[in-house]
Amino acid sequence: MKLDTTLEVKGLHKEYLMAFERLKILNDVNISATTGELVVVMGPSGSGKTTLISILAGLDSTYTGSVRVCDLELQELARADRIHLRSSLIGVVFQDHRLLPQLTAIENVEAPLYLRSMKKRERTSRAEHALELLKLSGRSKHKPSQLSGGERQRTAIARALVGGAKILFCDEPTGNLNRAMSLSIFQLLQDLCHRFGKTVILTTHDQKAVDYADRLLILENGLLQEKTVDKEMSDAIPSHL
């Protein structure tokens, strides 16, 4: 079976101007990912992981190079088209789940669908299905304050998936969770890739994520290097990553 290339990055450069000095954050970064892959990106704090995710998800367009997501060149898209892309083919999950506190779980999941021409019945049906997939059907009427940390993050993942996303960009999604919850999120993301054909690009400091990865990329000093994934290597990764 031919696998679709859902992400292709070539010659990505990103700089910041700080005190009249150009600071290179990303230097000639190249990435490709296909359907069903879980790609883990690790690196020390300040290495540019969040900047990388922001660019790949179409949240930051101030870079040079080529970023193609689902065969669309991001810099060729108007702002409105990038917003539409994030409500359909792309899902984004952050460390701080960014759920709206006044809304229930199902209302939070349904929220991105308001950007599309969709009837209420279909929006609700899609949100219910996403929550069911994330094993949250029994918590759909609960507000974020009534959910555990793991449940809030799973709700955020359901929201990222509800529009039919082919690729998820996850920036430190387990950073605020305990070990058991973190492992459950990694398992969930792996299942989304291997069982449902999603592509996941995951940044993390958690070395245990390697045990669930199909590919491991290390970002340091602006450079991105691929490492061979060894399921027994997670405890041997340098702690500064």
Side-chain angles (χ1 to χ4, degrees):
M1 181 180 67
K2 183 180 182 296
L3 297 179
D4 293 331
T5 299
T6 48
L7 174 69
E8 188 169 19
V9 179
K10 294 182 179 179
L12 174 61
H13 292 263
K14 172 72 177 182
E15 296 180 344
Y16 289 114
L17 183 61
M18 298 183 65
F20 306 105
E21 178 183 1
R22 290 194 178 277
L23 181 62
K24 288 188 176 182
I25 303 299
L26 302 172
N27 186 16
D28 195 25
V29 166
N30 299 278
I31 312 171
S32 66
T34 59
T35 301
E37 279 194 311
L38 173 55
V39 181
V40 170
V41 180
M42 300 187 71
S45 296
S47 62
K49 297 188 302 298
T50 294
T51 298
L52 177 64
I53 287 291
S54 295
I55 290 172
L56 301 185
L59 298 169
D60 181 350
S61 59
T62 58
Y63 61 88
T64 59
S66 172
V67 179
R68 297 186 70 85
V69 179
C70 299
D71 208 31
L72 296 170
E73 182 69 49
L74 293 188
Q75 283 197 324
E76 294 178 357
L77 299 178
R79 181 175 180 272
D81 293 328
R82 291 198 302 272
I83 292 172
H84 176 74
L85 186 65
R86 289 195 300 274
S87 72
S88 53
L89 299 178
I90 289 177
V92 188
V93 181
F94 302 95
Q95 177 175 337
D96 53 340
H97 48 77
R98 304 191 184 183
L99 300 176
L100 297 173
Q102 70 274 24
L103 300 183
T104 63
I106 193 167
E107 289 169 341
N108 268 285
V109 172
E110 192 177 338
L113 300 179
Y114 282 92
L115 297 172
R116 299 162 67 174
S117 299
M118 190 177 295
K119 293 182 178 180
K120 169 64 176 174
R121 179 178 298 179
E122 184 178 356
R123 290 199 306 267
T124 301
S125 176
R126 284 191 177 216
E128 288 174 343
H129 178 70
L131 286 170
E132 182 180 356
L133 180 65
L134 275 293
K135 298 181 172 57
L136 287 167
S137 295
R139 310 291 280 169
S140 64
K141 301 301 182 184
H142 291 68
K143 293 184 177 180
S145 62
Q146 300 169 308
L147 302 173
S148 69
E151 288 171 338
R152 287 193 290 270
Q153 201 58 292
R154 280 190 284 148
T155 302
I157 294 172
R159 181 182 57 190
L161 289 170
V162 73
K166 292 185 177 181
I167 181 167
L168 294 185
F169 297 106
C170 303
D171 188 26
E172 295 280 359
T174 64
N176 294 326
L177 304 180
N178 62 31
R179 168 57 64 211
M181 288 182 179
S182 295
L183 295 182
S184 71
I185 294 296
F186 292 146
Q187 182 65 64
L188 169 63
L189 294 174
Q190 185 185 63
D191 287 347
L192 289 175
C193 292
H194 296 178
R195 293 179 56 201
F196 298 99
K198 306 298 182 182
T199 303
V200 172
I201 312 297
L202 164 70
T203 69
T204 184
H205 282 95
D206 194 330
Q207 299 165 12
K208 285 297 182 183
V210 178
D211 294 339
Y212 300 85
D214 296 303
R215 293 166 58 206
L216 172 64
L217 306 177
I218 303 297
L219 180 61
E220 194 165 14
N221 298 321
L223 301 174
L224 192 68
Q225 295 184 324
E226 183 155 3
K227 301 292 185 182
T228 301
V229 174
D230 181 344
K231 300 303 182 182
E232 304 300 323
M233 71 182 290
S234 60
D235 292 327
I237 294 176
S239 59
H240 75 283
L241 298 181

